[in-house]
Amino acid sequence: MPKRHHNLFNALNSTSQHLMEAVSHECEPSSYEEAAVKPAWQATMNQEFQALYANKTWDLVPLPIGKKTEGSVVFVVVYADDVLVTCTHLHEIESLKNFLHNTFKIKDLERLHYFLGLEVQYTEKGVLMSLKKFTMDLLEEFCCIDCPPMTCPLDYSMKLKVDEGALLTDPSYYRKLIGKLNFFTNTRLDIAYNVQCLSQFMQSPREPYLKAAYHVLRYLKGDPSLGNFLSNDTDYRMKAFCNSDWATCSQSRKSVIG
């Protein structure tokens, strides 16, 4: 390596090491308010801000006259010509929709029911978000619509190992399935760990990995309407269950059931 490049590498490595040492000696802040009062995090945030500004990621502009966007937050999700809007105050949503309609002539579909495969159902106790139709379409696409459902995401007696089993003749088939299963983890957290494990074999997928992926598909068939339920209850305490199996995973030596 040329000396000039070597010195640059040392400088970058040294800077990175100092930043890591400064941050690693304290707990990571859980909010902006906590980070803003700590010098190490202030420096990190300033560097990130300057990088975004230098790369012209966005332009910093003043608020329009008479506007204060204070006490209210608006979130806008745009995918092609589909727009999803939510806000802390309903009148802000109406104001934004009127502005968009006057500018682009939008079609207002009112309350959200379906967006990019995500289905939203409203009840007296809260809101349920699921991927029921997406699940049924996926089962049909991968010829699992008539297969019996499974009661668990993976067969825990099966130990997936690297370089075990025959290579798939068409790796894209496995990669496509895992990519769609990753989309499911937005509403089906119960398969998140299993899909993460299967994602580790994307480079050279083999027959045992595909068999395990089909097992996850058949598990989803058990109840396609399952999803995230946002309760109206004011009790926000986390409720969970854990059942350790003491290092069953031969790769990571971690518990894989719960």
Side-chain angles (χ1 to χ4, degrees):
M1 180 182 295
K3 183 177 181 180
R4 178 171 59 86
H5 291 173
H6 180 68
N7 292 336
L8 176 60
F9 174 79
N10 286 341
L12 292 174
N13 184 55
S14 177
T15 302
S16 175
Q17 182 177 357
H18 288 317
L19 285 174
M20 290 299 296
E21 289 177 353
V23 174
S24 62
H25 279 81
E26 54 183 315
C27 296
E28 182 174 342
S30 59
S31 65
Y32 170 78
E33 287 74 15
E34 290 183 19
V37 297
K38 298 183 178 182
W41 287 97
Q42 286 179 349
T44 302
M45 289 189 293
N46 287 334
Q47 290 180 2
E48 183 70 17
F49 176 83
Q50 292 301 329
L52 293 172
Y53 189 75
N55 290 325
K56 300 185 184 299
T57 305
W58 34 254
D59 294 325
L60 186 62
V61 298
L63 284 173
I65 298 176
K67 298 295 182 179
K68 295 183 180 181
T69 340
E70 181 179 347
S72 178
V73 179
V74 179
F75 296 94
V76 181
V77 179
V78 180
Y79 181 83
D81 58 349
D82 294 326
V83 181
L84 180 63
V85 180
T86 186
C87 183
T88 52
H89 300 295
L90 290 178
H91 71 273
E92 293 287 350
I93 294 180
E94 293 300 324
S95 177
L96 177 60
K97 288 195 298 186
N98 290 335
F99 170 77
L100 292 175
H101 181 70
N102 293 332
T103 307
F104 303 106
K105 303 302 179 185
I106 65 173
K107 181 179 181 181
D108 189 358
L109 301 179
E110 301 295 337
R111 176 179 279 190
L112 174 65
H113 290 282
Y114 189 84
F115 185 77
L116 299 181
L118 182 67
E119 300 177 50
V120 181
Q121 302 176 35
Y122 302 89
T123 69
E124 294 181 355
K125 296 183 178 180
V127 177
L128 175 65
M129 297 189 298
S130 67
L131 294 169
K132 183 177 180 180
K133 183 180 183 301
F134 191 87
T135 303
M136 302 309 297
D137 291 344
L138 190 63
L139 290 171
E140 186 172 358
E141 179 182 357
F142 287 88
C143 303
C144 288
I145 196 70
D146 296 323
C147 295
M150 294 296 184
T151 58
C152 61
L154 279 183
D155 181 2
Y156 294 110
S157 64
M158 178 187 297
K159 308 300 179 185
L160 297 177
K161 298 180 180 180
V162 179
D163 300 333
E164 184 178 65
L167 288 169
L168 297 178
T169 55
D170 183 11
S172 64
Y173 187 79
Y174 177 83
R175 293 164 185 164
K176 180 181 180 180
L177 175 56
I178 298 303
K180 294 197 172 186
L181 288 177
N182 265 302
F183 181 67
F184 270 98
T185 59
N186 292 316
T187 59
R188 294 295 298 266
L189 301 180
D190 49 336
I191 68 170
Y193 177 80
N194 308 106
V195 175
Q196 184 270 333
C197 289
L198 294 175
S199 298
Q200 298 176 6
F201 307 107
M202 299 279 272
Q203 183 174 359
S204 301
R206 298 171 181 268
E207 290 183 357
Y209 316 151
L210 181 61
K211 181 180 179 181
Y214 268 95
H215 189 111
V216 177
L217 265 182
R218 294 170 62 183
Y219 170 74
L220 292 174
K221 185 185 177 183
D223 192 346
S225 63
L226 281 180
N228 292 339
F229 182 71
L230 307 180
S231 175
N232 290 334
D233 194 346
T234 56
D235 183 4
Y236 298 111
R237 289 178 297 179
M238 179 71 72
K239 298 177 183 178
F241 168 79
C242 179
N243 182 19
S244 176
D245 59 3
W246 302 104
T248 293
C249 179
S250 60
Q251 303 298 321
S252 64
R253 305 304 298 165
K254 295 180 180 179
S255 170
V256 295
I257 69 172

